[in-house]
Every structure is written in C-alpha cells, then in structure tokens.
Amino acid sequence: MTTTAPPALSALPALTVRAIDPAVHRALLVRDDADRPPVRSVDESGGAPLRCCLARAGAGERIALLSYAPLRRWAAETGARPGPYEELGPVFVHDGPCQGPAAGEGWPEGFHGGQRVLRAYDRRGHILGGVVVLPEAAEAGAAALLADPEVAVVHVRAVEFGCFMHEVRRA
C-alpha cells in the first residue's frame, strides 16, 4: 500500500463499525476460536474493553477472556483465504448474553484509550498496510484506508497488546 496525501473529507467513505456478532459471541462462550473454554472472571474495577458491545465493562461486571480469530470470521463470511495472515488473539466479552452495540451507533466513543493500529486487508484477507493513530484520529484513519478501493476491511487493534478491538467496513 502506497502512502499518499489523504483524500478530501468529502471523498471518505461512510463506515460500518462491527463488534463481535451476538451469535458468534454466544458460541465463543462455549468454545473459543482456539477450541478452549473462556476464562471467566469479574472485572472488579471496571474498564475491560468488551468486543461484544464496544463498551467498557462496569465495576463488578462478569466478563470472559477468550481467543478470537477476526480475520477467520470475516473470511468465512466473504470467501476470502487469508492463509498466514489469519491471527488469533485475546479479547474480553460479556460473560453472558449481549445484544451488541446499538444499531447505527457509529464509532464507539470512549472505547479507545490509547494508540491504535489500523490494519488494512484486501479482499483475499492479505495485509496491504496500516497506520498507527491516536484515538481521536482512528475513525478518520479508518475512513482514509477504506477510501482505497483495494482495501476490503480494516481491523482496529491496541498498540500496547496487539489485541483486536473491532472491524471497520464501508457502509
């Protein structure tokens, strides 16, 4: 992916931010994408980033830590074959039912606390490139990446741990 001047704001695509789907979340609470049971706990102080609803856990809330393969899930839906680009990593979710973020909620405000890596993937599921951004620039950065017609999906990840945060697609 070549670095070029960012497109004009009017040229940026509208975005769809995607949390872990509620049906996938339910299945992961039985066996995760590493074929293990999740690690269940209580978030005593609150703040764990929940990938099922793109919100922070409240103090005392029951959560589960599990392995998730976001590119594998996207590839199953789209027919892509990411091969060695498929990754498996830890994510927190509610330890029980979650309906996900509210419909049309948009970019998850208050969810991102530190620098983020935005990884751009093509329709095969291969990495085209990426950028590191501050939380306040993440939405515009994802839109700029998706303005490239070769980019099919963008994954937002935490810099400090590399954890998957959520997926971004064109609306």
Side-chain angles (χ1 to χ4, degrees), residues 20 128 130 138:
I20 295 175
L128 292 174

Side-chain angles (χ1 to χ4, degrees), residues 20 24-25 27-38 66-74 86-89 91:
I20 295 175
V24 171
H25 172 233
L28 291 169
L29 288 175
V30 177
R31 299 297 284 181
D32 67 14
D33 283 344
D35 199 31
R36 293 186 297 250
L66 50 87
S67 293
Y68 180 61
L71 204 57
R72 179 188 308 168
R73 299 291 180 161
W74 174 82
E86 181 182 293
E87 293 181 82
L88 183 70
V91 296

